[in-house]
Amino acid sequence: MSRDQLRLFAWVAAAVFAVAAGLWRPRRLHWTALGSVLLFAAINTAAGIYVLNHFTDPRWSVGAQPPLSTPSLAGTPIVGKYLGPLDSALSGVVGGVNDFFAFQHALPIALDFLTVSGWALLVSFPLAVLAAGINFAMARRRAAAFDKYRATVDQLQVELEQIKRQLSTRNSVAPALPVEHGSTEVRRG
């Protein structure tokens, strides 16, 4: 992937995560936003580290001067056979200079990714405080609702006990009008 594709990948991955997590948990959008910002920061950090680990990749030195090449000292007339061992030493030096130039071209690109990651982390701190505040407010609201339900349940238990006592006292009390033995006549008034 080129550096533009790496940049685009970080944005797309964070957006896809935000949409997917937002659809999965719509009541926790504050945590989804924080997670997508942290994912964006992590992808940019990984891209910066990738660029630094692969600094010799020609993708990072687009438009720069071509790498240096070593001249062959062994082909020099008369003394060439004596300068042959210097070819490998000179190749090592030129290879080191080419690596330095490649690192010099890759470093600003890696720093761009790391800077974007740093800005994302800077944004994530107030976002984390905001998410924690929202979560705390939601927890307090849930606790208040639970206390309200608990009070209602306690009230209903008290009323149920009162009803049970009233029913048990009615069943234990003698009938209001005693029935005389042998008389089945009902008086009407």
Side-chain angles (χ1 to χ4, degrees), residues 6-180:
L6 279 173
R7 282 191 184 109
L8 184 64
F9 175 73
W11 284 101
V12 169
V16 166
F17 174 78
V19 169
L23 291 174
W24 182 48
R25 294 235 165 160
R27 292 186 179 191
R28 300 189 183 264
L29 289 178
H30 51 286
W31 291 116
T32 301
L34 178 63
S36 64
V37 168
L38 290 176
L39 177 67
F40 179 75
I43 291 173
N44 276 299
T45 301
I49 292 170
Y50 175 79
V51 169
L52 288 178
N53 281 338
H54 298 92
F55 65 89
T56 57
D57 196 329
R59 294 179 287 181
W60 320 132
S61 61
V62 174
Q65 71 258 11
L68 300 175
S69 60
T70 59
S72 175
L73 297 176
T76 306
I78 303 175
V79 291
K81 63 181 177 178
Y82 301 110
L83 297 177
L86 290 177
D87 277 346
S88 63
L90 189 58
S91 293
V93 169
V94 170
V97 170
N98 283 335
D99 285 347
F100 175 74
F101 285 149
F103 184 77
Q104 188 179 18
H105 294 296
L107 185 62
I109 295 168
L111 288 178
D112 284 343
F113 283 116
L114 294 174
T115 301
V116 169
S117 175
W119 280 109
L121 288 175
L122 188 64
V123 167
S124 71
F125 286 124
L127 197 57
V129 170
L130 179 66
I134 290 171
N135 198 43
F136 180 72
M138 289 173 66
R140 288 185 65 190
R141 190 176 316 131
R142 282 191 303 265
F146 179 76
D147 289 343
K148 181 181 172 185
Y149 293 137
R150 186 70 188 159
T152 303
V153 167
D154 290 342
Q155 169 96 21
L156 290 173
Q157 284 178 339
V158 167
E159 290 176 8
L160 182 63
E161 289 299 321
Q162 289 174 355
I163 291 171
K164 284 181 182 178
R165 272 189 256 127
Q166 286 176 357
L167 289 176
S168 67
T169 57
R170 274 193 190 162
N171 289 337
S172 65
V173 174
L177 296 173
V179 179
E180 296 177 13

